[in-house]
Amino acid sequence: MAVEMKKVFTIALRLLALASTVVAIVVMVRSHDSAEVFNLTFTAKYSNTPAFKYFVIAEAVGGAYTVIVIFLYSKSILGRLIIILDTVITVLLSSSISAALAIAQVGKKGNSHAGWLPVCGQVPRFCDQATISLIAGFVAAVVYFVLLLCSLHAVLTPIFAAKP
């Protein structure tokens, strides 16, 4: 009974991670806004920034991995491999969010030392959509961290519970 509850909890977490990655991807890919400065129109979109592209790709990899693991989870003879891959996905999602947040911070606040002006005042819709996407990505990374802890617990418990 307890084993079934753990499986249900883990699958629910994986579905939450999948939903978060899908929301992050869809919102980021659809984010765009335009601004007119001195009769020149500038368009802000995620594909203009390598960090946002990396974020979308990392979220897509995380989502695809989640789908694969959900389908293979019932045949979970791959416990140790899942721990390794959960670790890789957790690190991948964390690094992509870090890169995207750095760019988002520059977009919002600018950088006076480099002479970069903030752009969120000119393209607020783009910045709002990027923020929503980053929040969803952060939720996915946190869920994957919890999944990693659950996977570690599931594999290490029998090792430490065994009596010598």
Side-chain angles (χ1 to χ4, degrees):
M1 179 75 170
V3 174
E4 285 298 316
M5 287 304 290
K6 286 181 184 178
K7 278 188 175 185
V8 169
F9 179 69
T10 303
I11 290 174
L13 282 176
R14 290 196 187 278
L15 288 173
L16 178 61
L18 178 61
S20 298
T21 58
V22 168
V23 167
I25 293 167
V26 169
V27 173
M28 184 61 83
V29 169
R30 295 188 56 149
S31 65
H32 65 282
D33 199 359
S34 297
E36 192 171 310
V37 179
F38 300 120
N39 289 330
L40 297 172
T41 301
F42 297 96
T43 302
K45 52 188 174 181
Y46 91 97
S47 59
N48 293 341
T49 308
F52 286 161
K53 287 181 193 176
Y54 172 57
F55 174 75
V56 169
I57 291 168
E59 294 293 320
V61 168
Y65 167 74
T66 304
V67 170
I68 291 168
V69 170
I70 287 173
F71 285 119
L72 294 178
Y73 195 75
S74 60
K75 304 166 188 74
S76 185
I77 57 173
L78 308 170
R80 295 188 198 282
L81 179 61
I82 288 175
I83 288 177
I84 293 167
L85 293 175
D86 280 352
T87 304
V88 169
I89 295 301
T90 302
V91 171
L92 179 69
L93 293 177
S94 298
S95 70
S96 72
I97 289 168
S98 298
L101 279 174
I103 294 302
Q105 177 68 15
V106 171
K108 183 174 181 169
K109 302 279 186 178
N111 185 329
S112 61
H113 301 291
W116 298 336
L117 298 174
V119 297
C120 284
Q122 286 74 33
V123 285
R125 193 176 76 191
F126 170 75
C127 290
D128 292 344
Q129 291 171 329
T131 300
I132 292 167
S133 179
L134 291 173
I135 290 169
F138 184 75
V139 168
V142 169
V143 170
Y144 257 101
F145 182 72
V146 172
L147 278 167
L148 177 60
L149 293 177
C150 291
S151 296
L152 285 171
H153 181 267
V155 170
L156 294 178
T157 298
I159 294 171
F160 291 116
K163 296 180 182 172

